[in-house]
Amino acid sequence: MPRGRLRVYLGAAPGVGKTFAMLSEGRRGVERGRDVVIGLVETHGRTRTAGLSDGMELVPRKTLAHRGEIFTELDTEAVIARRPEVALIDELAHTNAPGSKNAKRWQDVEEILDAGIDVVSTVNIQHLESVGDVVRQITGVAQHETVPDEVVRRAEQVELVDMTPQALRRRLAHGNVYAPQEIDAALSNYFREGNLTALRELALLWVAGKVDEQLERYRVEHGIAAPWGARERVVVALTGGPEGETLIRRAARIAGRTKGADLLAVHVTRAGGGLADAGPAHLARQRTLVEALGGSYHQVVGDDVARALLDFARGVNATQLVLGASRRGRLARLRSRGVGVETIALSGSIDVHMVTHEQTATGRRRPSRSRAGISRTRRIAGWCLTALGLPALAAALVWLGGAVSLSSRILLFLLLVVGVALLGGRWPAITAAVGGSALLNWFFTPPLHTLFVADADNLLALIVFVLVAVTVSTIVDLAARRTEEAARAGAEAEVLSTLAGHVLRGQAALASLLARLRETFALTSVTLLERVGEPGLEDRGDPGAWRILATSGGPPCTHPATADTDVAIDASLVLAVRGRLLKASDRRVLEAFATEAAVALRQERLQQEAARARPLAEADKMRTALLAAVSHDLRTPLASAKAAVDSLRSTEIDWSDDDRAELLATAAESLAMLDRLVANLLDMSRLQAGVLGLAAHPVALEEIVPHSIDTLGPLRERVEGDIPLDLPEIVADPALLERVLVNLMSNAARHSPPDHKVLVTASRYGDRVEIRVIDRGPGIPPAAREQVFLPFQRLGDRDTHTGVGLGLALARGLTEAMGGTLVPDETPGGGLTMIVSMPVPPTAEHASAKEDA
């Protein structure tokens, strides 16, 4: 059964109209005759949105009971049993109620898609996992309901529902988003114009990235090599020379003219031409500069620099290419066009910028590159010189007649042969030597016009001529081969140096490593395969015997037999590349990449194992701390209570009524302290084990806060509550919330000056209520604010008679267990403010943080 298709409406903030767009699409589908049902929709009391669902089939929600509370959620089984063509399911990132089959609604949607049903859904940009930390920095609100980016990226269509910040704020002010009592708080907090502008930019950039992936996939699938300038990408070519920094800055300015343009720097190492004067120090500095300017550094290997450079530019869909003006002198430019001119001639639709610099036309060319090997062009030139030069030289000497001696003629032919050897290598030179010897014998050695040599000296001269010519051509050819080998070794060393730097900078993640390998050799795809099960003799061509661990580029290899080149890392791992056959000499570099890929894989798996082991280590650490607490901190109240009881039981002393009352009070106080310590220890251990029992339901703060203050005992006189009566209820466990507030208020009272009371107040902020416990004490330095939440820690307080340092750690743990957050902040004018943020019940009149999709 084919999998269903997912369509997602993405918005920058609540209220932009995602649910409206989803329902409108559903109605259009019904009008076209498609079988469309509403699996779940949240209208939040918005009349126009609710009106769109009139007349459409609605799958009833399922009802769940949890701790006496009733919740309604998407009925996944009912939607699958109904089997519509399309299901409309709102709020993809929603967290399901306790007792549901899946924790998140996106997991329900995955089941429906697997059943072959198309789904249309909605999500806000702040609910994507990858931008959660950015959204928190922008808005100050942590997002607890998130969906993995990959779920949304896999959607066949992602449509941005866009609205300007000014228009959204007008909608909010007109009462089209939230209830009237929530508008002012929303406009002054989450819906500030700066927040909305930043969120809108995040949404636009995320969708642009998704579109860019789709475009690249389309170009690969359809074999389109020519770049499509849908987005500006500026590639700067680096030679490793000192002019590189000038080129990088010029390219960065070009990229900076267009918002969102990409900057890429590439260095082409000529496999057959040596490294020339590409200084590693220059390249290292230039790589750092590129990355500091927000670009990326790449390195590729190619015999033809111009073609390798353009292949890379087309591969990344570049629109502009920045090159430095040639450093070669005039004579060098006369011999060949050079990389710049060749690149311009072959660039096609890519704009090429030639940038002048201080090294332009200084004659500082790459000396070893012109002789780094006998290329095909040079061999052809050698054969042409042989075919044309020998007859021309013979004709000229015949015309000169007796004016030139035989020895001079031999030297002239030898000079021509040496020239052919230097230009074309061994075989053209040997051919020229044999041909020259024949011409000398026929035209200039008596008897003329015969191959017979009468004089023994002339015969010796001809033989020496041939031997010298062959020797010179062999030496030239051998030198060219050695130069080519040295150049290739240098190229490999430079690639491996880049790879080592890549690893040392912490970029050894598999995806990054495979992408770098694909770019280096201009491959179509690079895939790391792992054998499933035991090795077999015939499993290289069996797709079922392999699984893909990581891939980069176009269609991946599903098994080694589909690769152009593969490297066996060990018995179970194979690196398979596709795109072109690699030379045998390139396998050493390929094997180095393969080895590093195996190391990166092992690192990832070790990190996963460490992540699984971390909770066990934390639990062990907690058990150790608990034992230390039991052996030390619990001893004081136990000793006090025991001493008081033993004194009361003593028959040797006749206690007065006042003394007896004081001893009973001491015992009671010690036992109460012991009870609090044991309760804190037990709750902390339950939190660490994940077995803390919760009975969360809607409660009113005006009932919780006064009772919490009364529980403080003697400290209640130092705490003042100011809770507005119009606040909505919050979702919390009353007993646990009371303990959180008691811990916070008692801690604040102990650290506040005697003449200042602790203030407890609360206010509405979006879909949450924030409770603030404000003191005027010494406060906490920003760098140490997280330290106070560690168990068995007391910042700047080593008194072990006041507790085991669990108060704030337990307060944060209990708050987060109820779905809230506890963060410290500075009190204006000095002091510390503890902010407890708790969610509001998701009802029609109070769920203001839920978006209008």
Side-chain angles (χ1 to χ4, degrees), residues 782-793:
R785 286 178 182 169
E786 289 302 312
Q787 182 182 343
V788 299
F789 293 105
L790 298 176
F792 311 103
Q793 299 290 326

Side-chain angles (χ1 to χ4, degrees), residues 419-433:
V420 171
L422 294 175
L423 182 62
R426 177 188 299 175
W427 295 110
I430 291 175
T431 303

